[in-house]
Amino acid sequence: MDSDKAVSYSGTPEQVELECEALALLDKATESKKSILLVSGVVSVFALFGAFVISSMLLGGLAIVAIGGIGAYYYSINDDDIEDRKLNLARWLVDTLKPELKANRPVQLDLDFRGYDNPKTDGSWMTLAMTLEDGVGLRLSISTHFKRKTRAKRKYTKIKDKLHERVSLTFVAPKGRSFDPAGKDRFKSHPVPKLQLRSVKISPKAATIVYSTPQMQRVSGRGGWSNVGLDNLVQGSTSVAAIIASYRALGVAAGSAAGGV
């Protein structure tokens, strides 16, 4: 059962890190509770079976009440059992990037722990907004996109998902400075390992660059889900590499695209 949880944190990098740490502790505590509940549920099912064998209405009633209570509590805490990968990546990025950020400027972190096939989400599961040390604003977003095919079998439905992830970067020029729209061609000479350049849009005040991973595949058959190529999922190091390559291609480091810095 996927979590239906989404969070939003804002503050200094240290404050955001504390919020993430608290969320991680809640996740681990919830995982432990769910393990105990599963064991208790199995015991209760055996007790219900035993009640039928010995014709004990009292034991059967108690077992039914226990099963119902366990199921209700399990469902009530499920949203706090989140996908570790998403939270770990966000925490790594905040910790890695904080030395490069402008002092006294807040960081905004949004995380969505719903599954990529949840109809309530557009696939975007992380957004990190910050201000770099030189005043350039940066918004990093990571999203998962998929196409699904289903085929009815005799005893089950086969599901095949073809998916990829995207890293979207939006740079915003500080007041009094601008980017050079002609810098679009420079991105070809700044490749990012494990990512493909998808699109580049540059205006004087903002630049948006989108990268995508190679295509991956997940298949659900009779024996459950199997995965192909999921080692291509976006990682923290990949995201930082995309930031560095894009920053250099824009010319920010050399000053050719940021008002002569």
Side-chain angles (χ1 to χ4, degrees):
M1 186 186 300
D2 289 331
S3 171
D4 201 33
K5 192 183 191 74
V7 299
S8 181
Y9 302 134
S10 180
T12 65
E14 292 76 16
Q15 289 171 334
V16 171
E17 286 181 313
L18 286 175
E19 295 281 9
C20 289
E21 181 179 0
L23 186 61
L25 291 174
L26 177 61
D27 170 53
K28 296 306 178 187
T30 302
E31 290 176 354
S32 297
K33 289 180 181 179
K34 289 175 72 173
S35 296
I36 295 172
L37 288 171
L38 286 173
V39 173
S40 301
V42 171
V43 172
S44 298
V45 170
F46 277 111
L48 180 61
F49 178 76
F52 281 112
V53 172
I54 65 176
S55 300
S56 173
M57 293 183 62
L58 177 60
L59 180 59
L62 291 174
I64 291 173
V65 171
I67 293 171
I70 290 170
Y73 187 56
Y74 188 98
Y75 181 81
S76 71
I77 66 173
N78 183 71
D79 285 349
D80 292 327
D81 183 8
I82 58 177
E83 184 179 343
D84 293 344
R85 176 217 168 201
K86 293 180 178 179
L87 180 58
N88 291 340
L89 192 152
R91 296 177 72 181
W92 189 90
L93 282 174
V94 173
D95 182 63
T96 300
L97 293 172
K98 66 182 178 182
E100 311 301 327
L101 304 183
K102 193 173 184 67
N104 302 319
R105 294 289 183 90
V107 170
Q108 176 72 40
L109 173 64
D110 298 315
L111 284 169
D112 191 333
F113 295 99
R114 293 174 290 189
Y116 66 81
D117 57 346
N118 190 313
K120 299 177 184 178
T121 176
D122 61 358
S124 179
W125 53 265
M126 190 188 83
T127 300
L128 181 62
M130 59 208 123
T131 304
L132 301 179
E133 195 171 21
D134 63 355
V136 174
L138 172 59
R139 180 185 177 91
L140 180 152
S141 296
I142 302 176
S143 56
T144 304
H145 305 262
F146 76 105
K147 291 183 179 180
R148 171 168 291 178
K149 290 184 178 181
T150 60
R151 181 180 297 179
K153 299 292 186 177
R154 183 180 177 184
K155 294 184 178 181
Y156 67 98
T157 298
K158 182 177 181 180
I159 301 173
K160 180 183 289 186
D161 288 348
K162 292 183 178 180
L163 58 97
H164 70 275
E165 292 198 311
R166 297 178 190 173
V167 177
S168 301
L169 303 172
T170 297
F171 294 86
V172 179
K175 185 177 180 181
R177 294 159 59 186
S178 61
F179 298 128
D180 179 12
K184 182 177 180 179
D185 293 337
R186 286 195 294 267
F187 282 83
K188 296 178 182 179
S189 59
H190 290 79
V192 180
K194 296 186 178 182
L195 291 178
Q196 303 164 353
L197 183 62
R198 190 179 184 91
S199 65
V200 179
K201 296 179 181 179
I202 305 177
S203 68
K205 286 300 179 183
T208 298
I209 304 95
V210 180
Y211 297 90
S212 66
T213 65
Q215 183 173 274
M216 296 162 278
Q217 183 172 283
R218 300 186 71 225
V219 178
S220 176
R222 187 190 298 272
W225 285 96
S226 61
N227 307 313
V228 178
L230 290 194
D231 54 338
N232 288 319
L233 289 170
V234 172
Q235 301 176 1
S237 57
T238 313
S239 302
V240 171
I243 293 172
I244 294 173
S246 300
Y247 189 84
R248 289 174 176 171
L250 280 172
V252 177
S256 60
V261 175

